[in-house]
Amino acid sequence: MSTFPPAGAEAAAILEVLGCPLPQTGLPSPIDGTPMPQVPDHADPAAAIAASVTAFEAWRSVPAPVRGLLVRQFGEALRTHRDALGRLVTIETGKPLSEGVGEVQEMIDICDFAVGLSRQLYGLTIASERPEHHMRELWHPLGPVAVISAFNFPVAVWAWNACIALVCGDSVLWKPSEKTPVTAHAVQALFDRVAKDFGAPEGLAQLVTGGRETGAALAADPRIPLVSATGSVPMGRALAQAVAARLGRSLLELGGNAATIVCPSADLDLAVRAIAFSAAGTTGQRCTTMRRLIVHDSVYDALIPRLKKAFASLRIGDPRDPETLIGPMIDSQAVAAMASALTRARAEGEVTGGEQLDGNYVRPALAELPAQSDLAREETFAPILYVLRYTDFAQAIAIQRDVPQGLSSSILTNDLREGEAFLSATGSDCGIANVNMGTSGAEIGGAFGGEKETGGGRESGSDSWKAYMRRQTQNVNYGRTLPLAQGVEFDL
Ligand code: UN1
């Protein structure tokens, strides 16, 4: 299929250059099935947690702008190694090179954001009802933060959490997806080098590789006040219950099942690109992937044939080829899940594309279904776009909302009323709502996350940092009397 060297060997060579070599005895690369480097499982999560507590106790007293300097230096190291790390992301996940490098760019961007934030961890001052009193909020570091990341963004989502947590004064424990530990290992090695030169406490950010038990150990441990997890709804549900059982906090980013509404006034040239990128890009394996297209009757026949043509012409192949737009799926289970969803779709409607090619390579599919389809309410992590027809705007909004998930959404319209109605309280019910673009490819500056089964968490930009700190309300009486709030009398 390609003229590139075996993927696993190339990954091993990149690790050599980055100074963190590993034996090539790991999982098959999604690109060609050759063995990837193998990251050993962490022997003892309990020891890592203990080290994280000790590191936190030192780090929390370092001034926040100084903590920002560490993240700044980490960002510089990422800039230096952006292309090598991006290529490793590509080899490990199968996403095309520009997206692999884009993922490392996303880490660099969040470093920049976090460095600025390190001088902006603002609290409020609040007018006290009591004379000669001051009331204010101070944000303190929280403690060790566990970050559980998914295979599809094996390093960027960790960085959203870790870079913010570090400037907030927290220590970090990272359990990467079992499917993609190699880039995590390389990023951690880079961080370790920067942290050592900086003189950061040992164990400030650690990689804790392992399976379900490792995740369960992090979820159950009361020394970890916050567990931030990205992944499937069943994973998030089990994790949230374990964390809640000890009254810890969890920050969840789970299923998406994003929908886009195409209105009569939509710019169809822009629509074709936006839809193809969000539905088929990253081989349909983003939380923000567009899975449902809700198309107005009046544009259906103009748009859908063009989309079918665009899907049929997508360049599928080795993601290291700069011409490739669609790489392989992550593994054979993912390919099987796609096939089984398509079998169900064929029973309900008409499927175009979706052929299984060699190995983990597939052609993205369009499945035209009835508007009330139950299948379209389920999220299959694959490049399948369910196309549903609508006749009036209220119906389109109702379809968008009628799913258990609520991460991302978009509308394609040149009608101001429709666009603004989509963004109103009775419009999209998602954490992200876009106009005249797709559903994926968010910038780091906004808060990222969503409602309902998506889990309610917000990561990355805006004021998401508040989840990584503890808020203390402080009251100071600078007078000589002791007035009580609410006018309560208590005279001795
Ligand atoms: C994810 O799929 O979990 O908005 C994260 C996007 C990316 C992040 C996706 N910036 O598509």
Side-chain angles (χ1 to χ4, degrees), residues 336-362:
M338 175 170 176
S340 118
L342 286 179
T343 303
R344 289 173 62 194
R346 277 187 203 100
E348 283 192 28
E350 196 184 314
V351 173
T352 313
E355 297 86 2
Q356 197 173 323
L357 312 171
D358 284 347
N360 297 333
Y361 293 81
V362 296

Side-chain angles (χ1 to χ4, degrees), residues 106 152-153 157 160 230 253 285-288 439-442 448:
E106 193 159 344
N152 61 339
F153 277 81
V157 175
W160 294 352
T230 307
E253 197 250 289
Q285 298 173 114
R286 292 193 191 211
C287 302
T288 49
T439 54
S440 60
F448 185 92

Side-chain angles (χ1 to χ4, degrees), residues 8-32:
E10 196 185 347
I14 294 172
L15 290 188
E16 281 290 342
V17 172
L18 292 174
C20 51
L22 287 173
Q24 212 196 314
T25 51
L27 292 172
S29 160
I31 295 180
D32 59 6

Side-chain angles (χ1 to χ4, degrees), residues 111-144:
C111 285
D112 288 353
F113 180 91
V115 174
L117 186 63
S118 71
R119 290 182 184 271
Q120 300 175 78
L121 300 171
Y122 301 137
L124 295 172
T125 56
I126 298 151
S128 172
E129 68 187 54
R130 288 172 283 188
E132 298 179 304
H133 276 57
H134 284 155
M135 175 158 44
R136 63 185 175 231
E137 288 179 345
L138 200 64
W139 291 86
H140 291 305
L142 186 63

